[in-house]
Amino acid sequence: MTLSLVLFFIFGTLASHAISRTLPEAAIANKHEQWMARFGRVYENQSEKDKRFKIFKDNLEYIENFNNAGNRTYKLSINEFADFTHDEFLAARTGYKKRDNPTTTTTTSSFRYEAVTEVPTSLDWREKGAVTSVKDQGECGCCWAFSAVAAMEGIAQIKTGKLISMSEQQLLDCSTNGGNEGCNGGWMTNAFQYIIENQGLTTEENYPYVETQATCAMEKAQAQVTDISDYEEVPSNDEEALLKAVTNQPVSIAIDGSGRDFKFYSEGVFSGECGNSMSHAVTIIGYGTSEDGTKYWLIKNSWGESWGENGYMRILRDFDSPEGLCGLAEEASYPTI
């Protein structure tokens, strides 16, 4: 082989390797552009775009590696949070405060479902007309308001036969006692207490959600449609007690929603690693067993329909720790009528 042929072969091989290295980057950049178009993301300048692209790339590679590994009961996918830093995501999309709040208590310490013995093998309150469509809290850390409202919508429908979409914005603006701080976090129990004191909650149509905290609109707030008489807390760290409660109505729960797998959950029964930092609030609206025999809770989230299974998650039930997976059995409550 002549020297020129050797050099041609060497440089040709190097060029081929260089192209093979740039193709994945180009493919990821293309996916980023498609993702930006899908979610309407626009960046202020190229520097910001480069920063967000690096975050997007890291998340995309994590998700693809996770899904390619297999042997899991759930899958992940790129969603609208793909260019958020961890801290940005927590601030914008969670909002539950770990409870150290002794000032707000129920007017009764009883658990009315303690004696329940008849528990169906599966239940979905959507099928019974007690669940409104999935909502989106946007970039406001008020998951606590959405969780409380979903539980209230559920019990109101069960008692009256009418499903009415209620106002999260009213809670965001008006439920400010006892530690609730609007988009900076709060508790469902404080929300229930406010509804009792206000003698009800108005509709979402009358007091629509605007994704930021404003001054309480008293005239709208006084146009109450549904009231509650009290609220109760499910015995802590007891999934059996939680099952009894969910059998009778949707239940508000706190959960550790800070994990990467939780953020990018797409389908299946979530069984990922998480702690019990209790950063997020959702509503359990049912339970069941998957085809492979895995027991799960069915939860309604407030991150829009593009997250999870059209806005819902199936998460492992009967976890081998009393607080439940992601701490879901630690702090559960429900309103009563």
Side-chain angles (χ1 to χ4, degrees):
M1 184 180 293
T2 64
L3 178 61
S4 60
L5 288 175
V6 171
L7 293 174
F8 177 80
F9 176 79
I10 292 173
F11 286 116
T13 301
L14 291 174
S16 176
H17 286 171
I19 292 172
S20 69
R21 285 196 300 269
T22 58
L23 279 177
E25 189 85 2
I28 294 172
N30 186 50
K31 287 187 176 182
H32 186 224
E33 293 292 340
Q34 294 175 348
W35 174 86
M36 288 173 60
R38 178 186 176 190
F39 292 105
R41 191 75 90 246
V42 178
Y43 301 118
E44 293 182 359
N45 50 51
Q46 189 61 44
S47 176
E48 178 68 12
K49 184 176 182 180
D50 291 342
K51 172 187 173 182
R52 297 299 170 180
F53 174 74
K54 290 180 181 179
I55 299 170
F56 177 89
K57 178 183 176 182
D58 180 63
N59 285 324
L60 178 63
E61 290 176 344
Y62 175 82
I63 289 167
E64 291 189 346
N65 288 335
F66 177 92
N67 290 337
N68 290 336
N71 300 320
R72 294 295 188 102
T73 59
Y74 64 101
K75 292 183 179 181
L76 309 179
S77 69
I78 282 291
N79 55 34
E80 63 180 297
F81 314 131
D83 70 344
F84 283 23
T85 66
H86 180 68
D87 288 343
E88 286 171 340
F89 172 75
L90 290 182
R93 288 292 180 162
T94 58
Y96 182 80
K97 292 185 175 183
K98 182 70 175 179
R99 185 158 51 186
D100 54 0
N101 170 32
T103 61
T104 301
T105 59
T106 58
T107 56
T108 174
S109 60
S110 66
F111 175 51
R112 66 182 55 206
Y113 301 124
E114 180 63 40
V116 169
T117 56
E118 295 184 9
V119 176
T121 56
S122 64
L123 176 69
D124 186 340
W125 281 109
R126 293 176 298 185
E127 297 175 355
K128 298 179 180 293
V131 182
T132 60
S133 60
V134 170
K135 303 180 184 182
D136 192 345
Q137 69 187 75
E139 296 190 22
C140 171
C142 62
C143 58
W144 57 273
F146 283 83
S147 173
V149 165
M152 183 171 176
E153 291 168 342
I155 191 60
Q157 191 279 336
I158 292 168
K159 294 296 185 180
T160 68
K162 297 179 181 179
L163 180 63
I164 302 173
S165 183
M166 308 302 291
S167 175
E168 291 84 9
Q169 190 66 40
Q170 182 179 347
L171 293 180
L172 191 61
D173 294 348
C174 308
S175 175
T176 56
N177 293 327
N180 281 2
E181 297 180 355
C183 292
N184 294 318
W187 292 272
M188 291 79 79
T189 50
N190 283 354
F192 296 145
Q193 187 65 40
Y194 162 78
I195 295 168
I196 295 169
E197 293 171 356
N198 190 61
Q199 298 182 339
L201 195 66
T202 193
T203 66
E204 180 180 18
E205 181 180 9
N206 181 55
Y207 203 151
Y209 185 62
V210 295
E211 203 175 318
T212 187
Q213 185 179 18
T215 302
C216 182
M218 295 303 298
E219 184 176 346
K220 291 182 179 180
Q222 293 306 312
Q224 306 98 325
V225 174
T226 302
D227 192 12
I228 59 175
S229 56
D230 200 0
Y231 65 91
E232 296 178 355
E233 297 180 38
V234 179
S236 184
N237 300 328
D238 188 342
E239 283 198 79
E240 183 179 354
L242 185 57
L243 185 66
K244 293 178 180 180
V246 176
T247 296
N248 287 276
Q249 65 182 97
V251 175
S252 291
I253 64 165
I255 197 167
D256 182 359
S258 62
R260 207 176 198 182
D261 286 9
F262 195 101
K263 176 167 62 174
F264 294 117
Y265 165 79
S266 174
E267 61 180 285
V269 178
F270 182 80
S271 56
E273 294 182 6
C274 54
N276 57 349
S277 65
M278 319 309 284
S279 58
H280 191 41
V282 294
T283 311
I284 298 184
I285 61 159
Y287 57 86
T289 305
S290 65
E291 293 181 357
D292 66 1
T294 304
K295 294 181 179 180
Y296 64 82
W297 295 107
L298 177 61
I299 66 173
K300 180 185 183 184
N301 203 352
S302 53
W303 293 346
E305 293 183 357
S306 64
W307 178 86
E309 297 180 330
N310 298 314
Y312 297 89
M313 170 187 269
R314 287 177 292 158
I315 184 170
L316 186 66
R317 179 163 57 97
D318 288 352
F319 187 53
D320 61 0
S321 184
E323 69 271 14
L325 185 62
C326 302
L328 61 81
E330 276 197 32
E331 297 180 17
S333 58
Y334 53 87
T336 61
I337 295 179

